[in-house]
Amino acid sequence: MPARYTTSTHGLYKAPTAIRLSCRRSIFTQSAPKGNKDSEKDLDDSEIYGISALCIAITVALAVYFYYYGKGGVYPTPIRNMLREGGAAYMRPKEKQDLPKALKCYKKALELLDELGKNDINHGRDAAHVTGLVARVATIYSEMGDLDNAIVTYNDLMERILSSAEMADPKLLVKQLMHTRLSEERRSNILRALGCASKLAETLELRAARWRRRSMVLADPALAASSADLKEAGRWYQWCLQVVTLTYQNHFNHIQLDKGLEPTSTPSFDPATLPKFFSIEIVTSLFYNAATYFSKCAQFDMAAPLLQRALDLLRPAVSKGDEEGVCRSAVLMSHLANAAARKSDLQAAEKILIDGLSLAKRFSKNSECLNSFVALTYSLGTVYQTAGKTESARVQYRQAIDVADTIGDKEAAQLATEALNRA
């Protein structure tokens, strides 16, 4: 029962607020780099409420490249006013948002931009300020629960940035990313497409889950739709992983050659060796999302290496005692332990859980670490119970209940209580 990542409106990791055997998680995301978004005082004249997220989740996801943070001056005045109106409806606390109004404004602005772009290459379909707006529309559809239109819009974004050949063969993008003369605009668009593909995969997963629920009533048609969505999600996760891992491997081997060393097929995953356009956040978010997908599909041999590599990237932060890195690692370890347990390697699962608990205990006031502690303790109890160590399992379940009650996680407390009663 691994913990799961959730995200705040600023794209930072929040505490895993639920513990589920299904390994569900929300979208993994990242906020804008410092310096890219204007100050609050400038919003009215020059910055159209960011055309920014945070959404991923998920999103992860890679979202620093997913939205356009630009000056309002890039837009013609009528479109700028429309975006400002949409931003006023969207860039609010969640309870005060008017998503239908924001969506209407953004879609109309996009329609006008696309019409303008037919005769003005500066506003072309793949221009950064246009694709950023498409990403915002897709995000709002997702937030409204309209997954069908979200998926259509994500696909539209991919088609604006990439050719059909590039979507079929990620190695073509690897070559471009490694090219020293690649324009910054093109690199940003490729990275935006990478973020979009990750979000598309996550949204397909969500729709697959919705189809599975419907299949209880509709039987075969809904079940077939669920399977198709999951298969498509897997294709996009694999595509993202190839872009990231092959680019990193090429970059790492260039470093090796510069040092007079032999190229290798197994780079170190030391964060210092990542290409400058790939942050730790980008890579760990992708690995985490893909790993939870593979775990859901019972492909634990594919999930475990991704989780381990994510931990490798966070290791320097953990060694320095960085609170965020420590607590993120604790969550990742709960998933890694789950993969080991599902492969019946209880000894490995026990060690990972104990190591994860040692991390979660380091920051007892951090909500991420507290929730991770509950997940790890519960999971250690299940490992002990499976191994026939009933009394040890009970001790773990009681600890999970105590901490879950303290932090107000009723669902986790109930699950641990049910497990204690069965033990």
Side-chain angles (χ1 to χ4, degrees):
M1 180 172 292
R4 62 188 177 95
Y5 284 120
T6 59
T7 56
S8 72
T9 55
H10 299 293
L12 301 177
Y13 296 75
K14 278 176 60 181
T17 56
I19 307 174
R20 298 181 187 276
L21 286 169
S22 61
C23 303
R24 289 181 58 203
R25 83 286 185 211
S26 67
I27 297 167
F28 221 60
T29 66
Q30 185 174 352
S31 60
K34 291 181 179 178
N36 278 9
K37 188 175 180 183
D38 294 334
S39 64
E40 196 69 24
K41 63 182 176 62
D42 294 325
L43 287 177
D44 287 339
D45 340 290
S46 61
E47 204 264 345
I48 308 301
Y49 289 87
I51 305 301
S52 60
L54 201 191
C55 27
I56 319 165
I58 343 238
T59 150
V60 101
L62 311 176
V64 65
Y65 298 106
F66 198 41
Y67 300 94
Y68 175 64
Y69 294 81
K71 294 288 185 180
V74 74
Y75 302 101
T77 299
I79 297 175
R80 186 188 314 175
N81 292 337
M82 199 167 297
L83 291 174
R84 186 172 287 119
E85 185 178 355
Y90 184 71
M91 301 297 286
R92 293 171 171 268
K94 189 171 183 179
E95 65 275 7
K96 295 183 179 180
Q97 285 180 321
D98 186 345
L99 295 182
K101 180 179 179 180
L103 182 62
K104 181 180 178 180
C105 292
Y106 286 139
K107 286 181 66 178
K108 183 62 178 176
L110 181 59
E111 180 183 330
L112 294 176
L113 277 172
D114 280 341
E115 188 63 31
L116 189 63
K118 292 177 182 179
N119 300 308
D120 185 348
I121 192 172
N122 292 321
H123 299 293
R125 285 172 53 82
D126 64 343
H129 61 284
V130 177
T131 56
L133 181 54
V134 178
R136 168 56 61 81
V137 170
T139 298
I140 295 178
Y141 274 130
S142 293
E143 292 177 354
M144 293 174 68
D146 188 347
L147 303 184
D148 293 343
N149 274 316
I151 289 168
V152 168
T153 309
Y154 286 132
N155 278 311
D156 175 43
L157 179 54
M158 296 292 287
E159 291 167 3
R160 287 170 179 265
I161 296 174
L162 305 177
S163 68
S164 56
E166 290 166 337
M167 287 190 280
D169 184 3
K171 293 179 182 177
L172 296 176
L173 296 178
V174 175
K175 291 180 181 178
Q176 293 180 52
L177 288 170
M178 292 301 298
H179 202 294
T180 55
R181 295 184 180 179
L182 181 67
S183 71
E184 190 58 39
E185 182 176 0
R186 177 57 181 166
R187 175 175 283 112
S188 294
N189 254 351
I190 291 174
L191 294 170
R192 178 171 289 131
L194 184 61
C196 177
S198 180
K199 287 281 294 174
L200 175 58
E202 292 172 5
T203 309
L204 285 163
E205 280 191 86
L206 290 172
R207 191 170 73 173
R210 183 177 291 179
W211 279 119
R212 281 198 300 275
R213 291 192 294 271
R214 293 181 184 178
S215 70
M216 298 177 184
V217 177
L218 301 176
D220 291 342
L223 191 59
S226 175
S227 298
D229 276 353
L230 275 180
K231 184 177 180 180
E232 185 71 357
R235 181 176 82 85
W236 282 116
Y237 277 130
Q238 292 279 19
W239 184 91
C240 291
L241 288 169
Q242 287 187 63
V243 172
V244 170
T245 57
L246 291 177
T247 301
Y248 173 50
Q249 184 176 339
N250 274 272
H251 178 78
F252 184 84
N253 282 333
H254 275 79
I255 295 175
Q256 290 288 97
L257 291 172
D258 288 344
K259 293 179 177 179
L261 302 174
E262 290 294 320
T264 176
S265 59
T266 55
S268 66
F269 283 88
D270 180 337
T273 64
L274 286 176
K276 63 181 181 181
F277 47 82
F278 283 161
S279 70
I280 297 173
E281 178 90 13
I282 286 174
V283 181
T284 56
S285 83
L286 173 61
F287 286 5
Y288 171 81
N289 284 345
T292 55
Y293 167 82
F294 290 129
S295 293
K296 185 185 297 181
C297 297
Q299 296 175 306
F300 299 106
D301 286 334
M302 297 186 70
L306 292 171
L307 294 167
Q308 186 58 63
R309 289 310 192 187
L311 286 166
D312 290 342
L313 287 167
L314 291 172
R315 185 167 289 115
V318 173
S319 297
K320 293 176 182 177
D322 176 75
E323 183 172 341
E324 193 174 75
V326 167
C327 293
R328 291 180 186 182
S329 295
V331 176
L332 288 167
M333 293 181 80
S334 73
H335 284 267
L336 186 60
N338 179 64
R342 294 294 294 272
K343 292 191 295 181
S344 300
D345 190 346
L346 297 184
Q347 185 175 359
E350 180 182 2
K351 182 180 185 308
I352 295 167
L353 290 165
I354 291 173
D355 290 345
L357 280 168
S358 70
L359 293 180
K361 291 175 181 177
R362 288 169 64 176
F363 295 98
S364 59
K365 295 183 180 180
N366 182 291
S367 59
E368 286 181 14
C369 276
L370 281 170
N371 283 278
S372 296
F373 180 88
V374 175
L376 291 159
T377 304
Y378 176 95
S379 296
L380 187 57
T382 62
V383 167
Y384 285 150
Q385 186 173 354
T386 303
K389 301 176 182 179
T390 305
E391 194 52 45
S392 295
R394 285 176 171 273
V395 171
Q396 299 303 317
Y397 292 144
R398 290 190 186 100
Q399 287 188 27
I401 294 168
D402 289 344
V403 178
D405 284 339
T406 300
I407 63 178
D409 192 337
K410 295 180 179 179
E411 183 179 5
Q414 181 179 347
L415 289 170
T417 299
E418 291 172 355
L420 178 61
N421 292 336
R422 290 193 302 268

